[in-house]
Amino acid sequence: MTEIVRIDTATVQLPLPAPLHLGAMTVTRREYTAVRVTDADGVSGVAYCLSREAPMAEIVERLVAGHAIGADADDPAATWERMLRGSAIVGRVGLVRRAIGLVDIALWDIAARRAGAPLWTMLGTGDAPREAMLVAAYPSASRPPRAVADEVLAQATGWTQVKISRMPDPAYMRELLALLRDELPAETGLVVDVGFGWRDADEALAEIAQWGELQLAWLEDPLLPEDAAGCARIRRESGLRVSVGDEVTDPAVLKALVEHDAVDVLRLDVVAIGGVTPARELVSWASERGVPVSGHVYPEVTAHLGIGVETFARGANPYDPAPSFIVGGPSFEGHVRPRDAVGLGFTLDPAVFVFDSTERD
């Protein structure tokens, strides 16, 4: 057995050119935490996540790393169980599960690198192009609907879906959605992300009724994910397709959404749900019930799971600088195709992430 011997962490803050507003949240910067896990043979795997301003590196170091160091580098699923059981008194869901997910992804990267294969071959998902959604615009009161529509239209060609966030002004949304309904390419679906912005189904349905004639691929995260009954009612009474699941750390919440007929598309955050190990099980579970799965960010990882992928524009974009520090990764050409490179197929720019180390005694 080859053991895991070291886990390094790093955190970086990257400013945004302008604040983003999504639901009740305002984002002025993106903070990322990364891990680098190394085995006794010197093989390393990496993963990164949006910290959401939580102390992710400290949680990895204090609550998770000790349960992964010394584990079998070729058996990430068994190590996942060690991490979950070892932190169960304070973990299982929430931030600790996100930290487990971060390490688990790096462990799968190592396992696939040791096998000399891309991760998608180990998971049996194939390399066919995945449907892809481009996060295209965050509307704001400082920009008229025409300007936001032009931003979306300039990027839309070739993408399966494009996504915008909801503005809480119904008149603004009515005008913007009408422009996009009339001018988007026929093959490109429009997603509106509410970001858990409505308190209940009554509020949601009242506002949706003011948006005018709608042609949406789906309405995303209208309510908190735990309100499966409310999401089901929105889906039923609005006639819109609904997707929910971003940032969910509890598999029971995702399963309840499916079991209550609350979603047409299940959203899955591979880091938040605990990594590749539980994510692959949930994808299989949803597939057996005929519910498609769409990945929340981290396209370099979700592409290996064989599900729909979400991404921001590669290179410079005003919403998420992650593409600027990813070296390698899948190809983004409307659809997303994982490459033949071993492991996850990407590394992190060493000029951005400077790692601290937790080593085995």
Side-chain angles (χ1 to χ4, degrees):
M1 181 182 85
T2 301
E3 296 183 350
I4 300 299
V5 297
R6 192 169 75 246
I7 296 180
D8 305 329
T9 62
T11 299
V12 62
Q13 297 87 27
L14 301 177
L16 295 177
L20 304 181
H21 303 284
L22 180 59
M25 300 173 288
T26 298
V27 180
T28 60
R29 68 178 187 178
R30 297 289 195 182
E31 182 179 81
Y32 304 90
T33 295
V35 298
R36 182 180 62 201
V37 180
T38 306
D39 70 15
D41 292 332
V43 179
S44 292
V46 298
Y48 75 98
C49 73
L50 285 160
S51 76
R52 305 301 193 192
E53 305 299 318
M56 294 305 302
E58 185 176 4
I59 295 170
V60 168
E61 293 161 5
R62 295 184 63 174
L63 298 175
V64 175
H67 304 296
I69 292 176
D72 186 350
D74 293 313
D75 196 349
T79 307
W80 186 89
E81 185 74 13
R82 284 176 51 150
M83 292 187 291
L84 184 75
R85 295 287 178 178
S87 61
I89 196 168
V90 292
R92 303 188 305 282
V93 297
L95 293 176
V96 177
R97 190 161 181 121
R98 292 173 68 97
I100 291 171
L102 196 57
V103 175
D104 178 79
I105 292 167
L107 289 167
W108 278 98
D109 191 16
I110 287 177
R113 288 177 184 275
R114 288 176 58 82
L119 180 56
W120 56 263
T121 64
M122 294 186 68
L123 302 179
T125 57
D127 65 344
R130 284 68 160 124
E131 289 193 350
M133 176 167 64
L134 178 70
V135 183
Y138 286 76
S140 67
S142 64
R143 294 197 298 161
R146 179 73 262 174
V148 175
D150 287 344
E151 179 184 10
V152 175
L153 294 167
Q155 306 173 78
T157 301
W159 291 94
T160 311
Q161 294 106 16
V162 291
K163 184 164 79 172
I164 62 171
S165 62
R166 159 194 169 253
M167 270 281 289
D169 178 353
Y172 186 109
M173 286 297 292
R174 184 184 182 94
E175 182 178 350
L176 175 58
L177 292 173
L179 290 168
L180 294 174
R181 181 191 66 222
D182 294 341
E183 299 178 33
L184 269 177
E187 68 275 10
T188 303
L190 177 64
V191 172
V192 174
D193 186 358
V194 182
F196 319 129
W198 290 313
R199 290 170 294 181
D200 54 36
D202 286 337
E203 184 178 44
L205 290 165
E207 186 170 318
I208 292 168
Q210 299 177 68
W211 284 0
E213 180 185 347
L214 297 177
Q215 294 179 5
L216 300 184
W218 66 69
L219 182 73
E220 187 169 296
D221 289 327
L223 306 176
L224 292 175
E226 292 77 12
D227 189 358
C231 292
R233 183 180 163 209
I234 293 170
R235 177 175 178 260
R236 183 173 61 249
E237 296 186 20
S238 71
L240 295 174
R241 287 165 53 83
V242 171
S243 71
V244 185
D246 289 12
E247 309 290 353
V248 170
T249 64
D250 186 351
V253 172
L254 295 180
K255 290 182 176 181
L257 289 163
V258 173
E259 290 163 349
H260 283 77
D261 293 324
V263 292
D264 297 275
V265 178
L266 190 66
R267 292 278 288 173
L268 179 66
D269 185 315
V270 65
V271 174
I273 206 61
V276 172
T277 298
R280 64 189 303 211
E281 295 175 1
L282 276 165
V283 170
S284 177
W285 181 89
S287 177
E288 290 170 358
R289 288 152 181 81
V291 178
V293 179
S294 170
H296 174 233
V297 294
Y298 315 122
E300 301 83 10
V301 180
T302 54
H304 291 275
L305 293 168
I307 62 176
V309 170
E310 173 182 78
T311 185
F312 291 80
R314 315 317 288 174
N317 72 70
Y319 305 123
D320 193 326
S324 69
F325 59 69
I326 301 295
V327 181
S331 61
F332 295 88
E333 298 167 351
H335 285 70
V336 174
R337 184 190 292 271
R339 298 189 189 274
D340 291 333
V342 297
L344 288 170
F346 75 92
T347 58
L348 301 173
D349 187 344
V352 175
F353 291 101
V354 179
F355 288 98
D356 295 322
S357 177
T358 301
E359 298 192 42
R360 187 178 186 184
D361 293 335

